[in-house]
């Protein structure tokens, strides 16, 4: 069956998060919680997705722009009141309405589809998704009669001692007959401990109206976790990361320490790539096959080809082609482009620069705003001096150029193919093919100086 409408509740203030960020924008595996909810419902092909926003509405709406429609709940008077705000938008709809919270990021499409199927099979007025929890603290409890039929949902704060012992919890996901939903909502009151209009009260109300209500219990409680505080946020991250890591391992990626590997949703990794523990892969990152990423590597929004060895290095918005060796402790910043078989050694920073095929920048160098050709050798401690405090200037280095150690290259400057710079030079002028640029003062030696040294006096 198909849900005609989907309503996502995201207006609450999330006070238990103790954060300035609206709760549903907190991230799980690199993606806002509410985005996970939208990802899970989109394959259900609803006619309409409505998100109810309130606290931080502008930020939530900016974040979700184009993905859903919005309804504002001015005052946060409870989940039932939140759904009531969609009444005008859904008034004419004769179908079914699926309601979820923006703070339950772990549901899979399969589970939601199973709920929809159960709802259509039973022709209930409402079917609530439930789960058995080892520790049901904080959740609404499903109260069933002696015959096992669902009677109502009771919030923990309103529950009796006996009701609190119930292990079956309300996951906060429901599918309603749309017209009956609004009939029931008009009767929800706020006579409870929190003085809120509770959406779960609609079950009891519909039953009182002589309608058939029901529950579909999912076997996997971990999907149902509602994130109300930072402890649950960390747990949700762990569950989601575990899912993502398992997917990669099944696709042929070797994770040496999956519990300590942090891969965001959407990262693509080719087979036979080996990833050690304490590696973080974030954002829009694509990694090819047969790479090795060692501990401490952090890669964000970057594209990595095949057969590279990246050792304990940080990459941001960088492009690395094939069979390079990078690190340990290299830092690739935005628009760094490392061509095939290039080598970057320890403490090398590259920003907005291309390192040509087979070129080597072995030690302690900064390469910024530069284009290096193939098979260039950059000596230890070379600095591309690209910035005068206001403007950035470019350097062009041809093929097979040999840059001596501790060269300062003051841009803009061009080193032609097969040119050389002498070690310790400060290069301000272009160097022609086969020429050597040398720019340093000659050494003078002062004989018999030892006795004039301060430590020898007095
Ligand atoms: C809710 C359910 C509880 C269930 C649990 C599952 C109610 C009364 N309780 O409790 O039975 O076990 O979810 O995770 O529904 N919201 C609004 N406007 C409001 C209040 C809340 O939009 O006025 C939104 C929140 O942003 C959140 C969702 O509704 O996304 C749920 O609210 P929350 O306060 O987290 O409810 P829980 O106490 O978790
Ligand atoms: Ca919640």
């Amino acid at each position: 069956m198909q849900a005609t409408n989907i309503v996502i509740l995201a207006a609450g203030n999330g006070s238990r998060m103790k954060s300035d960020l609206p709760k549903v924008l907190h991230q799980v595996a690199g993606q806002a919680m509410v985005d996970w909810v939208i990802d899970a419902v989109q394959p259900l092909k609803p006619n309409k997705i409505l998100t109810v926003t309130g606290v931080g509405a502008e930020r939530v709406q900016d974040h979700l722009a184009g993905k859903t429609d919005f309804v504002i709940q001015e005052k946060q008077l409870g989940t039932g009141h939140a759904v009531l705000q969609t009444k005008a938008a859904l008034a004419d709809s004769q179908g079914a309405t699926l309601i979820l919270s923006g703070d339950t990021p772990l549901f899979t499409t399969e589970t939601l589809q199973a709920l929809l199927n159960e709802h259509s099979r039973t022709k209930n007025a409402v079917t609530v998704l439930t789960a058995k929890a080892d520790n049901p603290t904080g959740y609404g409890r499903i109260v069933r009669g002696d015959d096992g039929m669902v009677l109502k949902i009771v919030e923990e704060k309103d529950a009796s001692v006996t009701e609190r012992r119930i292990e079956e919890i309300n996951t906060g996901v429901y599918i309603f007959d749309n017209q009956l939903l609004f009939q029931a909502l008009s009767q929800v009151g706020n006579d409870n401990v929190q003085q809120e209009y509770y959406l779960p009260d609609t079950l009891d109300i519909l039953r009182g109206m002589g309608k058939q209500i029901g529950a579909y219990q999912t076997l996997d409680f971990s999907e149902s976790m509602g994130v109300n505080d930072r402890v649950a946020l960390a747990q949700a991250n762990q569950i989601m990361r575990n899912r993502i890591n398992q997917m990669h391992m099944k696709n042929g990626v070797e994770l040496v320490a999956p519990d300590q590997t942090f891969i965001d949703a959407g990262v693509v990794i080719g087979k036979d790539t080996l990833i050690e523990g304490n590696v973080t892969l974030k954002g829009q990152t694509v990694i090819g096959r047969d790479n090795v990423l060692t501990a401490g590597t952090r890669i964000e929004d970057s594209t990595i080809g095949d057969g590279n060895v990246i050792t304990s290095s940080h990459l941001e918005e960088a492009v690395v082609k094939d069979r390079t060796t990078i690190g340990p402790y290299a830092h690739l910043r935005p628009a760094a482009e490392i061509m095939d078989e290039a080598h970057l050694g320890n403490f090398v920073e590259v920003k907005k620069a291309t390192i040509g095929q087979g070129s080597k920048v072995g030690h302690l160098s900064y390469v910024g705003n530069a284009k290096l050709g193939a098979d260039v050798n950059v000596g230890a401690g070379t600095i591309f001096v690209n910035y005068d405090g206001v403007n950035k200037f470019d350097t062009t280095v041809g093929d097979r150029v040999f840059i001596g150690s501790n060269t300062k290259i003051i841009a803009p400057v061009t080193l032609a193919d097969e040119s050389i710079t002498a070690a310790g030079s400060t290069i301000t002028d272009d160097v022609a093919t086969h020429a050597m640029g040398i720019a340093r003062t000659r050494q003078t030696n002062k004989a018999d100086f030892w006795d004039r040294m301060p430590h020898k006096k007095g």
Side-chain angles (χ1 to χ4, degrees), residues 11 38 61 73 94 161 165 237 240 258 269 397 409 425 439 453:
I38 290 171
Q61 295 194 10
Q73 183 193 24
Q94 298 304 321
V161 176
R165 280 204 283 269
N237 261 291
M240 190 63 89
I269 312 173
V397 177
I409 299 168
S425 292
M453 288 292 285

Side-chain angles (χ1 to χ4, degrees), residues 51-337:
T51 304
V52 184
T53 63
V55 175
E58 207 169 304
R59 288 178 82 171
V60 178
Q61 295 194 10
D62 281 355
H63 183 87
L64 294 178
K67 285 185 169 179
T68 80
D69 294 334
F70 301 101
V71 169
I72 293 270
Q73 183 193 24
E74 299 285 357
K75 275 198 183 143
Q76 283 60 60
L77 302 179
T79 47
H81 180 260
V83 177
L84 203 50
Q85 310 312 304
T86 67
K87 189 174 176 179
L90 301 180
D92 298 332
S93 172
Q94 298 304 321
T97 297
L98 176 69
I99 302 178
L100 309 94
S101 295
D103 68 349
T104 50
L106 297 169
F107 287 113
T108 58
T109 305
E110 293 69 46
T111 298
L112 300 175
Q113 185 64 62
L115 171 70
L116 266 52
N117 294 346
E118 175 71 3
H119 183 73
S120 124
R121 187 183 69 76
T122 55
K123 302 196 171 51
N124 288 331
V126 55
T127 310
V128 56
L129 183 65
T130 72
K132 267 234 166 86
D134 289 340
N135 176 8
T137 309
Y139 293 93
R141 310 293 207 282
I142 305 296
V143 181
R144 292 180 184 260
D146 294 338
D147 56 359
M149 300 294 278
V150 177
L151 297 177
K152 60 173 181 175
I153 300 174
V154 58
E155 289 307 295
E156 169 154 297
K157 287 183 176 149
D158 303 295
S160 66
V161 176
T162 335
E163 286 168 340
R164 282 187 196 201
R165 280 204 283 269
I166 298 171
E167 288 176 335
E168 190 182 9
I169 58 110
N170 169 23
T171 66
V173 181
Y174 325 73
I175 178 149
F176 284 90
D177 172 275
N178 184 67
Q179 292 297 321
L180 292 175
L181 165 64
F182 290 101
Q183 281 181 35
L185 276 177
S186 67
Q187 296 178 41
V188 171
N190 68 348
D191 182 17
N192 53 53
V193 171
Q194 304 190 80
Q195 294 193 316
E196 285 184 0
Y197 297 87
Y198 291 161
L199 178 60
D201 283 359
T202 52
L203 273 79
D204 197 21
I205 292 168
L206 285 167
R207 196 171 54 83
M209 288 163 60
K211 304 294 176 192
Q212 176 178 302
I213 65 170
Y216 171 73
Q217 193 184 103
T218 166
L219 294 177
D220 185 359
F221 170 75
S222 69
E223 282 190 29
S224 319
M225 175 178 287
V227 175
N228 295 324
D229 60 21
R230 308 270 184 167
V231 176
L233 184 68
Q235 287 166 347
N237 261 291
Q238 213 167 16
I239 294 169
M240 190 63 89
R241 294 202 181 283
N242 187 30
R243 258 190 223 170
I244 291 170
N245 289 351
Q246 297 230 353
M247 182 265 291
H248 287 298
M249 289 188 278
K250 284 180 181 147
N251 287 343
V253 178
E254 183 159 353
L255 301 185
V256 175
D259 290 346
Q260 281 112 47
T261 307
F262 309 94
I263 305 175
D264 278 1
V267 171
V268 176
I269 312 173
K271 68 181 199 182
D272 288 321
T273 283
L274 183 148
I275 301 178
E276 292 184 0
N278 194 21
V279 167
T280 301
L281 306 176
K282 295 185 73 63
Q284 305 293 309
T285 291
V286 177
I287 294 176
R289 302 169 56 158
D290 297 307
N291 296 287
V292 175
L293 312 180
T294 78
T297 294
R298 181 186 171 95
I299 302 178
E300 189 163 354
D301 296 326
S302 297
T303 303
I304 315 292
D306 302 331
N308 299 286
V309 178
I310 301 180
T311 313
S312 307
S313 292
H314 283 204
L315 285 69
E316 302 140 30
E317 295 173 45
V319 174
V320 174
K321 303 289 193 190
D322 302 332
R323 299 177 302 283
T324 71
T325 49
I326 293 177
Y329 318 118
H331 186 187
L332 274 58
R333 294 176 47 214
E337 192 181 15

